[in-house]
Amino acid sequence: MSTSEPPTWPHCAHGADPAANPVGCRGIHVPGHTVCLAHLADADRDTYLAGLTPGASIEHQGTTFTDSLLNALLNALRDPATGNARLGDAGFRSATFEGGAEFGSATFEAGAWFGSATFKGDAMFESTTFKGNARFESTTFKGNARFESTTFKGNAEFESTTFKGNARFESTTFERDAGFESTTFKGNARFESTTFKGNAWFRSATFDRNAMFESATFEAGAGFRSATFDRNAWFESTTFKGNAMFGSATFKGDAWFRSATFDRNAMFESATFEAGAGFWSATFDRNAWFGSATFKGDAWFESTTFKGDAWFRSATFVEADWFGPLVCAGRVVLSGAVFGGPVTLSFAARRLECRRTRWSSTAEIRLRYATVDFAHAVFEYPLTITAEPDPFMLTDGRQLAEDPFPSAPDPGVRVASLRGVDAAHLVLADLDLSGCLFAGTVHLDQLRLEGACIFDTAPPAVHWRRWAPVRFTERRVLAEEHHWRASQPGAVRGWNVAVLGAGRTGPLQLAPVYRALRKAFEDGKHEPGAADFYYGEMEMRRHADDIPRSERGLLTAYWALSGYGLRASRALAWLGATMLLTIVLLMAFGLAQDTPKQTATGTVPAGGGKVTFEIDKDDPQNPTGNRFTGKRFEKALNVTLNSVVFRSSGQDLTTAGTYIEMTSRLTEPVLLGLAVLAVRNRVKR
């Protein structure tokens, strides 16, 4: 039966030449003798070996084995039925194997203790079966260590072990935990097609040459925290069914994770990739953490699929020129990340967070489906954010599969925030800006908008507020105006309430935002858009608390009469109403009763001679009787129409009619001019 620790037997009292080995032999003596197996007399050794049977427990701690001595021991334990050695508890702690150690196809029925042993030649454990725990901690393999197709049914402990030659574990099966913590692999470490059914711990391990884990399977946790890979690390087609922990690992050569599958969380926090990091076609079924990781070379995430969130918070990309295209069903978090060179990022993701992300060179971000949070991002060179209408193309000409978005109807991209951004070098193309927060953006007037950038609009239709109807003319509106209006007492339906984290922004802060966006639209020769933002600017000025009441009254009148010179229908409605009122007043009070007749008066000299006549006209008489007749309407209309174009009709008017005409000749041309101005502002380019 296996025990957790080997039995403790006396050490060999003599055997080595004191001149050659002053401390003497450290080997455990053979039962019934006072020396170790290596120093046992030939006859006694033969007797001891003859007494062993397959499956017997042995203890040879500290013993030095030559090739012939080890072969003799294993032959004594060989099962005649299989021809392979079969051992019970096997104690080889601190043993030294001078030549090749051939344990191939052996079966360790119980525990196997090789802790602190030294294999000076090749150690061959191919197709070996360890039914109990196998302990190789602090062991030194000076030659090659071959464990191909070996089965570890108990725990396999290789902590602090040194493999000076190649370590070969291809097709090996670890049914319980495998511990390689602080292990040093000075040669190639080969774990291709290996299966780890328990936890696999490689914490602080050092791989001086290539580490090959292609097609390996980690059914539980895989711990490579603080491991160092001095050469290339191959994890292609590897399957991590438990958590994969590479935190603080250092990859000095290329790290290949092509087609790897991470069924649970993948943790690469603070990892360092000094060469290329290849995650082509890898699949992360849960969250992937690359926080504070450093990518000094290329970062290949082409065709990578993240079914959870992908965290690259505070990661550093020194030279990566491509990042993606990749698919993420959750969030791609680049907040605090740093990009050192020109880069193109291509994501099909639910959300992209780039808060305080820094770009030190030109960059292009091409997106599908995503909502982008760009608050306080920093970039010193032109940066473009654009929506990609079609699926991304891979380098081999295939389209990127978008399996996490099978039923998404719209691949459009929405921007959630640009607060704190210096927009002097920012280009937005074909984006939905209806929910974007702009307050606090610097140099917003230099923002470039390309393609079809969509803003939110005012609530449509007519709304009743108290006793009067309210109708908001359709126009481009910032999300922050929606939030502010929705927060006001008596707000009508249709204004969107603020989302969590949007903050409180009022008219005083929004007026300069509208002004800057108006200039950006004007510079882009988009006059209708500029007109909408001019309207928004004037609205915010009218509602702001920092202007005098007289100015607010003037702005209110300007808004009521013509929508700040932008609503032709409003100006024309007022013009029509004014003309109708003028006609009614003229018919009632302005037109004379009858056309005044002219009279000539003069004096005829008594002796004849020149006669002088004075021709005069009677004063117009105020109307009496029926004033609203068709004839009087025609005259009033003629006077009113002439007033619109600032002309006098020449019609005889009463004193009241004269003042009515003067008033109409002042107001009606102004209203007509406002209507013409509004039409021009909406259609000019």
Side-chain angles (χ1 to χ4, degrees), residues 407-487:
S407 59
D410 180 19
V413 179
R414 296 150 295 281
V415 180
S417 177
L418 289 176
R419 287 183 172 178
V421 171
D422 187 340
H425 301 289
L426 182 60
V427 180
L428 305 180
D430 299 316
L431 302 180
D432 184 350
L433 302 174
S434 59
C436 184
L437 305 178
F438 285 96
T441 306
V442 182
H443 293 144
L444 191 54
D445 58 325
Q446 300 179 41
L447 174 68
R448 287 183 55 190
L449 300 174
E450 304 288 346
C453 288
I454 303 172
F455 288 84
D456 208 343
T457 58
V462 177
H463 305 270
W464 286 89
R465 185 165 59 187
R466 295 181 182 177
W467 54 271
V470 177
R471 179 179 181 274
F472 295 98
T473 307
E474 184 176 353
R475 62 180 173 92
R476 295 171 178 85
V477 178
L478 296 182
E480 285 125 321
E481 182 179 346
H482 266 272
H483 303 161
W484 171 74
R485 289 188 180 273
S487 66

Side-chain angles (χ1 to χ4, degrees), residues 540-561:
M540 295 302 100
R541 285 182 57 193
R542 183 167 69 92
H543 291 285
D545 298 329
D546 66 332
I547 64 173
R549 181 173 298 180
S550 58
E551 183 178 346
R552 183 180 290 111
L554 182 61
L555 290 174
T556 301
Y558 192 22
W559 161 76
L561 290 176

Side-chain angles (χ1 to χ4, degrees), residues 611-633:
V611 179
T612 300
F613 292 95
E614 292 182 2
I615 300 177
D616 198 2
K617 191 175 184 179
D618 294 338
D619 292 333
Q621 300 297 314
N622 289 325
T624 58
N626 187 6
R627 305 179 184 185
F628 298 96
T629 63
K631 185 175 181 181
R632 289 177 64 81
F633 172 78

Side-chain angles (χ1 to χ4, degrees), residues 16-162:
D17 184 358
N21 187 1
V23 298
C25 178
R26 296 185 301 170
I28 294 293
H29 68 69
V30 177
H33 300 275
T34 58
V35 294
C36 69
L37 183 63
H39 296 106
L40 198 63
D42 292 344
D44 293 335
R45 182 186 305 119
D46 292 341
T47 302
Y48 167 72
L49 294 176
L52 296 178
T53 59
S57 296
I58 57 175
E59 174 56 48
H60 295 290
Q61 177 178 336
T63 303
T64 298
F65 287 89
T66 61
D67 287 352
S68 59
L69 180 60
L70 179 60
N71 289 335
L73 176 63
L74 294 178
N75 287 334
L77 298 168
R78 203 172 299 277
D79 190 338
T82 62
N84 300 321
R86 185 159 56 87
L87 299 82
D89 278 317
F92 292 94
R93 180 176 296 175
S94 301
T96 300
F97 299 87
E98 294 287 349
E102 178 59 72
F103 287 88
S105 300
T107 299
F108 291 83
E109 300 283 353
W113 286 274
F114 287 85
S116 300
T118 300
F119 293 84
K120 293 185 177 181
D122 291 342
M124 289 159 282
F125 289 84
E126 304 99 313
S127 301
T128 299
T129 300
F130 294 89
K131 293 185 177 181
N133 294 330
R135 301 187 62 171
F136 288 84
E137 65 272 17
S138 301
T139 300
T140 299
F141 295 88
K142 293 186 176 181
N144 296 323
R146 304 190 61 172
F147 288 84
E148 301 100 309
S149 301
T150 296
T151 300
F152 294 89
K153 295 188 175 182
N155 295 327
E157 302 175 21
F158 288 85
E159 293 89 340
S160 301
T161 296
T162 299

Side-chain angles (χ1 to χ4, degrees), residues 151-453:
T151 300
F152 294 89
K153 295 188 175 182
N155 295 327
E157 302 175 21
F158 288 85
E159 293 89 340
S160 301
T161 296
T162 299
F163 295 89
K164 293 187 176 181
N166 295 327
R168 305 192 61 169
F169 289 83
E170 299 100 310
S171 301
T172 297
T173 300
F174 295 88
E175 295 190 0
R176 298 188 67 182
D177 293 344
F180 288 86
E181 296 188 25
S182 301
T183 299
T184 300
F185 298 87
K186 293 185 177 292
N188 293 325
R190 308 195 62 164
F191 289 83
E192 298 100 315
S193 301
T194 298
T195 300
F196 297 88
K197 294 185 177 181
N199 295 318
W201 305 110
F202 288 81
R203 184 193 304 269
S204 302
T206 299
F207 298 84
D208 288 346
R209 300 195 68 183
N210 296 325
M212 291 161 277
F213 289 82
E214 296 98 321
S215 302
T217 300
F218 295 86
E219 296 192 0
F224 289 85
R225 189 178 300 276
S226 301
T228 299
F229 300 84
D230 286 337
R231 296 281 186 93
N232 296 330
W234 278 278
F235 289 86
E236 297 188 20
S237 301
T238 298
T239 300
F240 298 89
K241 295 186 177 181
N243 293 328
M245 293 161 282
F246 288 84
S248 302
T250 300
F251 298 87
K252 294 184 178 181
D254 291 332
W256 306 107
F257 288 84
R258 184 194 298 267
S259 301
T261 300
F262 298 85
D263 288 346
R264 299 195 68 181
N265 297 324
M267 290 161 276
F268 289 83
E269 302 100 317
S270 302
T272 299
F273 299 87
E274 296 191 0
F279 289 84
W280 295 282
S281 302
T283 301
F284 296 84
D285 286 338
R286 296 213 181 169
N287 297 328
W289 279 278
F290 289 84
S292 300
T294 299
F295 298 86
K296 294 185 178 181
D298 293 321
W300 293 292
F301 285 84
E302 183 176 352
S303 193
T304 302
T305 300
F306 296 91
K307 295 183 179 180
D309 294 337
W311 292 79
F312 292 87
R313 187 186 301 276
S314 301
T316 300
F317 299 84
V318 179
E319 296 181 356
D321 53 359
W322 284 91
F323 190 12
L326 58 82
V327 178
C328 182
R331 295 178 294 169
V332 177
V333 181
L334 291 172
S335 299
V338 177
F339 291 87
V343 63
T344 298
L345 297 86
S346 303
F347 304 143
R350 294 289 184 190
R351 186 174 179 86
L352 172 61
E353 294 184 5
C354 293
R355 298 176 183 174
R356 302 186 185 280
T357 306
R358 179 181 294 273
W359 283 268
S360 298
S361 187
T362 57
E364 182 181 23
I365 305 176
R366 309 188 69 83
L367 301 170
R368 288 172 58 79
Y369 303 103
T371 297
V372 185
D373 187 348
F374 224 66
H376 303 285
V378 178
F379 40 91
E380 304 168 10
Y381 296 89
L383 185 145
T384 302
I385 306 176
T386 183
E388 190 73 16
D390 301 314
F392 294 111
M393 298 298 296
L394 305 176
T395 53
D396 59 4
R398 296 181 297 111
Q399 284 187 344
L400 176 66
E402 298 178 343
D403 296 337
F405 308 98
S407 59
D410 180 19
V413 179
R414 296 150 295 281
V415 180
S417 177
L418 289 176
R419 287 183 172 178
V421 171
D422 187 340
H425 301 289
L426 182 60
V427 180
L428 305 180
D430 299 316
L431 302 180
D432 184 350
L433 302 174
S434 59
C436 184
L437 305 178
F438 285 96
T441 306
V442 182
H443 293 144
L444 191 54
D445 58 325
Q446 300 179 41
L447 174 68
R448 287 183 55 190
L449 300 174
E450 304 288 346
C453 288

